[in-house]
Each structure stands twice: as C-alpha cells, then as structure tokens.
Amino acid sequence: MIAPQSSPPWGRLPAAAGLVLLTLLAPAPPAAALAIHPLESLPQRAQPVTLRRNTSFYAEPNGVLLGTLRAGAQVTYGRTRQNWRQVTFEGWIYTASTGPSPHRQFTLAVNARGGENLRKRPDGELIARAIRGTGFTRVARQGRWTRVRRTAWVFTGATPRPTRETRIARSEPAPPPVGEAATDTADSAATEAVPPTIPVVQATADRVVIRKGALISIGPGAAEVGLAPEEIPGEVTGRAGNWVRVRTETWVRSEDLRPTTPEESITLEQLRAAPEKMVGQAVTWRLQFLSVQRADELRPEIPPGQPYLLTRGPLPEVGFVYVVVTREQAQQFRSMNPLDEFVARGRIVAGRTRHLPTPVIQLDRLDQAREP
C-alpha cells in the first residue's frame, strides 16, 4: 500500500492537532494583555550607552572610588538607587599590570602602583582608568592584553541639572575622576554634578585586630605603608567608606625619628579653626595631585587666569588644598598622573575660599614628586 503524499482534509485532522493549529493561527494578544504576565514576555537586551563626560565609578553608592570612565566610553545601564546608577563596561588592560584578586567575585585585580588604563582595543583608544586594587572579570586574552568586564556604580546627579548658584552652595566636591586629563577650563571643577565626598565618621574606640598581611595605607585610597607582618591590635578612631582608621602602638628605632617642624604641625583642623591667623604661615605638606585648573570668579583668592592645582591633603588628612603655581610649574604637573604624591613647600595665601572651606597656598618649592 502506498501512503498518500497530500495533507489530509480538515475534517480528518485529529482533535488535538486541530487545537494546536487553531492556537498557532490565533491573533496575537494586545500589548496590554502581555503586560499582565511579565514572565511570558521576552526580556529586552540592554543597549550600550555612550558617556558624554568623564565619570567616576565606585564599588557601591557612596562607596570606594575605583577609577574613572572617560567621555566616549560605552556602558550598559543596570539598577538605580537614588542618584546612583549601576553600569557594566568592558575594556582591554595590560596583563602585566594585573594579578590575582583577593575577592572571589573577580578573576583579577589591578596591581600597578599608579593604577592602569583600560582601552577600547589592545593599544587602542583610552576608555577608563582604574586605581590599584580594582577587581575585574576576565573575558578574553590576546597577546599581552586581557579583556575584562566590571559592574560598578556612577553618580548621576540631581535632575534637573543644578545651576551655578546651587553648585556654589555645595560643600567641597569629590576629587576629579582618577586618570582624568588635566584641563585649563575655568569652571571645570564646578560645572559637573559630582558625588559627595566620603565623610570620615568618627567612631568609638572599639578594640580590633588587624589581620596579618592586611594592606596599611596613610589614608583612604592613599599611599601604602606596607603589609601588616603579624596581627596587630588597635583601636578604631574613624571610618570612611570601607576604610577604617585604626590607632596602633608600634615601636621604632630612635634614629628613624625626627622632630616635626613648625610648618608641619599645622593641620586642616587648626587651619579651619583660625583661618585668618594662619595666613602667611609656612607649610610643608604632602599632597595628592588631582588636576591643573585656571582660577575664575568662583575663587577670588587666586588671580583670574592663574594656574593652580586641585590636590587632596595634607595627607594623611582627608581634605582638599588649592596650590597656586606658575605657568612653568603647571606644565611640570601636567606630566603627572592623578593621585601621584608630592611634597609642597609654600605659604598659606588664604585659610579658606569664599565659598568652600579649602585653603590656598602659594607653591615655593617642589621637594619631591613621584613621577608616573
């Protein structure tokens, strides 16, 4: 017997097959009906977004600064939390500048002392810069380069965008993104919405033990002192993000000590308590370079158009200092990387600015600088 090759007539279809066919031919339900059953709708793939300005990225909202995403970098948006948005990005990093990550959720971490760049492709366009210790997930390898991925948080700012008057009333902004190129734009330090600084919260003197091998730093994200050789007991005296200030008792040889000079004894706390009395005082401060700026009408303590440095310090204190420099000195600092440290000798021009509690000093001499 030869089976017929044509399809059987409608009337001879089995009941189950008929129901399937009717289901396939039925018109699609309207979009409103699909909204009632969100689990049945296909998820939409997030589209990459191109950043229009340099943007700092953090481990968590109001958390630890990890680096900066440069204007033109592409990110994928995720969750939002108040004025913070989660972003995911990828880039290529020089493999020799990475090492194992102490955190299980990351494959590797930046181990270069001055941080490292992320590029769109090997030896390609710069898209980001990450500080030392930032963790990433490895995606691919190509020669001396590794493609990595990171999910972090960026500060989106309030909507609508704040006016100049609103920005003036703010407290001192957070430092510019790590790795951001120095700029001479007059109001670059005041025209973008930036996340608030991470305040140092004074804590009770809880007794703790610093674990063996813990990284010891002179300040949150600042220069490293070394690793704890053994467990060290101490007292908690302050917190900033996920950094904890701990007072410990240690012993050193007498020949390794020197008395502090009068200018080194001036702290930010003393300066803010009597800003007028400190004008003209000599200081020797260790600072972290952030960027080169030009004075504008927001900083009348500095001559208009005069170059100055936005710095963090004096270390290990958490604060900001404006350092007035000559054009020749400004050119020297443009070759430095953000967060490079230097020792500045100068005199206090103003204990604070008109709008911010930021001291201004005139640089007399640059004693030490850590070149990139």
Side-chain angles (χ1 to χ4, degrees):
M1 179 180 293
I2 300 175
Q5 300 299 314
S6 60
S7 301
W10 285 88
R12 297 175 56 188
L13 284 174
L19 290 174
V20 172
L21 186 57
L22 289 175
T23 302
L24 294 175
L25 296 177
L34 287 176
I36 302 177
H37 304 285
L39 296 180
E40 297 179 5
S41 60
L42 294 176
Q44 294 184 351
R45 178 176 296 179
Q47 296 297 321
V49 177
T50 301
L51 298 179
R52 292 180 295 177
R53 64 171 183 265
N54 292 357
T55 306
S56 298
F57 63 92
Y58 296 76
E60 294 289 341
N62 286 315
V64 177
L65 175 67
L66 300 178
T68 186
L69 290 160
R70 298 183 66 86
Q74 289 192 332
V75 302
T76 301
Y77 284 157
R79 296 180 295 156
T80 59
R81 188 184 303 174
Q82 294 181 346
N83 287 335
W84 295 83
R85 182 184 289 273
Q86 195 177 54
V87 297
T88 301
F89 58 92
E90 293 187 4
W92 291 88
I93 190 170
Y94 194 57
T95 304
S97 297
T98 66
S101 172
H103 305 289
R104 294 182 178 179
Q105 67 267 37
F106 302 118
T107 312
L108 52 85
V110 178
N111 63 7
R113 177 175 293 275
E116 188 53 273
N117 294 325
L118 271 71
R119 300 185 179 274
K120 192 172 184 178
R121 60 185 63 86
D123 284 318
E125 177 186 355
L126 181 65
I127 62 171
R129 185 172 180 84
I131 67 175
R132 184 177 186 180
T134 301
F136 290 96
T137 299
R138 182 185 294 111
V139 177
R141 291 282 297 273
Q142 180 177 325
R144 299 176 301 167
W145 296 84
T146 299
R147 186 172 180 85
V148 294
R149 179 187 300 122
R150 174 72 198 215
T151 297
W153 292 83
V154 298
F155 185 77
T156 59
T159 303
R161 192 170 175 178
T163 63
R164 177 179 289 266
E165 290 73 16
T166 303
R167 289 189 291 267
I168 292 175
R170 287 182 178 173
S171 58
E172 178 68 79
V178 181
E180 181 174 351
T183 174
D184 285 338
T185 303
D187 59 352
S188 59
T191 56
E192 298 293 353
V194 293
T197 57
I198 303 174
V200 176
V201 180
Q202 299 299 321
T204 58
D206 296 329
R207 300 292 300 180
V208 295
V209 175
I210 302 175
R211 66 174 178 81
K212 180 180 179 180
L215 175 65
I216 301 175
S217 174
I218 61 175
E224 301 169 3
V225 176
L227 302 178
E230 300 291 342
E231 290 189 342
I232 304 175
E235 295 181 350
V236 176
T237 61
R239 297 179 183 272
N242 69 339
W243 289 86
V244 181
R245 184 169 58 199
V246 181
R247 179 187 295 117
T248 61
E249 292 185 3
T250 54
W251 290 78
V252 297
R253 296 181 180 273
S254 59
E255 58 266 25
D256 293 328
L257 299 177
R258 66 173 178 82
T260 60
T261 60
E263 59 266 26
E264 290 176 317
S265 63
I266 300 178
T267 65
L268 281 184
E269 183 178 356
Q270 294 170 328
L271 187 60
R272 289 168 180 168
E276 295 80 9
K277 294 182 179 180
M278 298 295 180
V279 174
Q281 293 288 332
V283 293
T284 300
W285 282 344
R286 186 158 45 87
L287 305 169
Q288 272 187 322
F289 169 73
L290 296 177
S291 63
V292 179
Q293 306 287 338
R294 272 189 195 280
D296 57 10
E297 68 276 8
L298 297 180
R299 298 164 183 83
E301 297 79 13
I302 307 175
Q306 178 75 30
Y308 71 94
L309 311 178
L310 176 60
T311 68
R312 186 162 60 184
L315 300 177
E317 298 186 59
V318 180
F320 295 86
V321 179
Y322 295 146
V323 182
V324 182
V325 295
T326 64
R327 296 184 183 275
E328 292 74 17
Q329 291 170 334
Q331 194 62 33
Q332 178 182 359
F333 279 96
R334 287 192 178 95
S335 65
M336 295 177 63
N337 290 323
L339 299 186
D340 278 351
E341 296 177 13
F342 67 98
V343 177
R345 288 184 177 272
R347 293 189 176 275
I348 298 176
V349 176
R352 57 164 295 147
T353 65
R354 178 184 299 177
H355 306 293
L356 298 170
T358 305
V360 181
I361 69 171
Q362 175 74 50
L363 181 65
D364 292 335
R365 188 170 78 249
L366 181 65
D367 280 359
Q368 303 171 24
R370 190 173 65 195
E371 297 296 332

